[in-house]
Amino acid sequence: MAPWIAALGATLLMQSVASFMTQTLPVVAPLITASAGLAPERIGNFSSLVAFGTVLFLLLGGPYLARLGPVRMLQAGAVLAALALLVAGLGTVAAIGLASLLLGVGYGPSPPAGSRILAATAPKQHRTLIFSVKQAGAPLGGALAGLVSAPIAIAAGWPAALLVAVGVSLLAAAAIQPLRAMLDAERDPARRIGLRDVLSAHTIAAPIAALRVDPLLPRLTALSVAFALCQGCLFSFTVTWLVETRGMGLVEAGGVFAAMQVAGVVARILLGWLADRTGNATRNLVVQAFVAAGSVAALALLPEDARTLLLPLCVLAGFVGASWNGISLAEVARVAPPDRVSDVTSGTTLFVFLGYVAGPSVFSLLVTLTGGWTLPMLAVAAQLAVVAALVGRAR
């Protein structure tokens, strides 16, 4: 087996599992928030905590990634995510908040570790496609959360759904162990990972400073953040929005959520291939952003009795709004010096996850302030369109 095939298989598996773990919470959110005595839209605050946990890892995790290697860090992230869902099973507001933060830290290794593995093994002529296939694991994991976690939560309770996710995560961590010797060969066993080293100003500044290595990176990062705001709100609130405003049951809403995620899987592969063919990935992302903004605006303005258009619009939103990640990461890896791929990826992804932090919480606040969902959804669409226009004009 070619090394890049093994690398892609391992990173795709772990990306899928990481997404499955983080998306299980919003899928069963109506049951969890009801059990904790919270308003349904408060799931946005927990989603923001997940993203904040990832930001913490991206700021501080560089020394661990260098010392232990990308495979070991992917395994550690999976184990930590499993622990997080066990904590969430306690059902209190504090436990769910802590679990959300730990879930984010557990997800944190996925972008830089995956990029480091693939940048070292992927054939250059197919790099964007390979990165996009790996990133297809994100909506694939979300689709599995919608198809698996929602029915289990209805049949056996939401704690049972969390336990199933725990088992999946631990099995995945064990499955990639045979690849560690090959894919962690370039780790630095002498790298210091003491608390003073991890919290040093150099460690914290390295991912952000790395964004200065190429003039494309700030523009690409800005567009990625706008996409993240949109995607974060879509993934955090779709199930709750369908249940609260469209009268769907949890299983039916979970099915629509899964269809949205599957569309993202297909799109990441198809649009990644297209980016390789056109040779202008940033321009492709600008066009994609305009279509994504239009699809979210159409959902916001869709009459409540227009049920036949609901599923196609959700699928379109998933197709264009959740398929940008692999293209963006491949562009980052393309312009980054080979020895700075992890740092540059961490820097870009750090700002992306700040978007994930802000988006759901601001959206939740807007729902509370406006007493509805339409204006917040239009705001999400508008910010993506505006940033796309500015990035397109700058090029």
Side-chain angles (χ1 to χ4, degrees):
M1 179 186 297
W4 72 265
I5 296 177
L8 177 59
T11 54
L12 174 60
L13 172 65
M14 299 311 292
Q15 181 67 63
S16 301
V17 170
S19 179
F20 177 69
M21 300 293 282
T22 57
Q23 293 302 317
T24 290
L25 272 184
V27 164
V28 299
L31 299 180
I32 290 181
T33 53
S35 175
L38 298 171
E41 63 268 19
R42 291 284 81 81
I43 189 60
N45 300 108
F46 295 124
S47 294
S48 292
L49 278 174
V50 173
F52 181 68
T54 299
V55 168
L56 288 179
F57 178 86
L58 294 171
L59 276 175
L60 306 176
Y64 296 105
L65 184 59
R67 169 73 175 268
L68 301 176
V71 170
R72 179 62 84 220
M73 286 310 301
L74 290 173
Q75 291 175 309
V79 172
L80 184 59
L83 174 64
L85 290 191
L86 289 176
V87 171
L90 297 175
T92 65
V93 174
I96 298 169
L98 176 60
S100 299
L101 185 66
L102 293 177
L103 267 177
V105 177
Y107 185 91
S110 295
S115 289
R116 179 171 168 179
I117 291 171
L118 294 181
T121 59
K124 291 185 178 180
Q125 68 271 26
H126 301 303
R127 174 171 285 178
T128 305
L129 174 60
I130 290 171
F131 270 75
S132 294
V133 170
K134 177 259 183 183
Q135 284 301 121
L140 178 60
L144 291 174
L147 293 173
V148 174
S149 299
I152 292 175
I154 292 297
W158 62 265
L162 301 188
L163 285 176
V164 170
V166 167
V168 169
S169 188
L170 295 179
L171 286 173
I176 65 170
Q177 175 60 29
L179 297 176
R180 193 191 178 214
M182 177 178 67
L183 299 180
D184 280 357
E186 296 183 0
R187 70 187 183 91
D188 180 10
R191 181 67 178 266
R192 299 173 65 89
I193 54 174
L195 190 61
R196 179 179 298 177
D197 304 289
V198 172
L199 296 177
S200 71
H202 174 75
T203 297
I204 295 173
I208 300 172
L211 296 182
R212 295 199 296 263
V213 302
D214 190 277
L216 174 63
L217 287 171
R219 298 196 301 271
L220 185 60
T221 300
L223 185 56
S224 297
V225 170
F227 265 117
L229 285 166
C230 180
Q231 181 182 322
C233 292
L234 277 175
F235 286 2
S236 296
F237 293 103
T238 293
V239 171
T240 300
W241 176 68
L242 292 171
V243 170
E244 292 295 314
T245 71
R246 305 292 157 154
M248 286 189 180
L250 184 63
V251 173
E252 184 183 6
V256 174
F257 182 84
M260 177 187 291
Q261 300 279 358
V262 169
V265 173
V266 175
R268 291 189 186 210
I269 298 171
L270 178 61
L271 296 180
W273 172 86
L274 182 62
D276 275 333
R277 299 287 74 77
T278 63
N280 196 330
T282 303
R283 182 185 61 193
N284 289 23
L285 285 174
V286 168
V287 174
Q288 185 177 334
F290 283 122
V291 180
S295 67
V296 174
L299 276 173
L301 299 173
L302 188 68
E304 291 187 14
D305 58 352
R307 294 291 291 266
T308 56
L309 294 177
L310 188 58
L311 178 59
L313 280 175
C314 285
V315 168
L316 177 61
F319 189 92
V320 290
S323 54
W324 55 275
N325 315 65
I327 301 172
S328 174
L329 287 175
E331 278 288 273
V332 168
R334 180 182 66 82
V335 301
D339 61 340
R340 302 290 302 278
V341 170
S342 293
D343 283 341
V344 176
T345 301
S346 291
T348 303
T349 310
L350 169 66
F351 284 98
V352 165
F353 272 83
L354 287 175
Y356 287 136
V357 169
S361 286
V362 173
F363 189 98
S364 176
L365 177 62
L366 288 175
V367 171
T368 301
L369 292 177
T370 64
W373 297 76
T374 300
L375 289 179
M377 293 173 71
L378 290 176
V380 167
Q383 64 84 29
L384 180 56
V386 168
V387 174
L390 293 174
V391 171
R393 184 177 181 180
R395 300 194 76 253

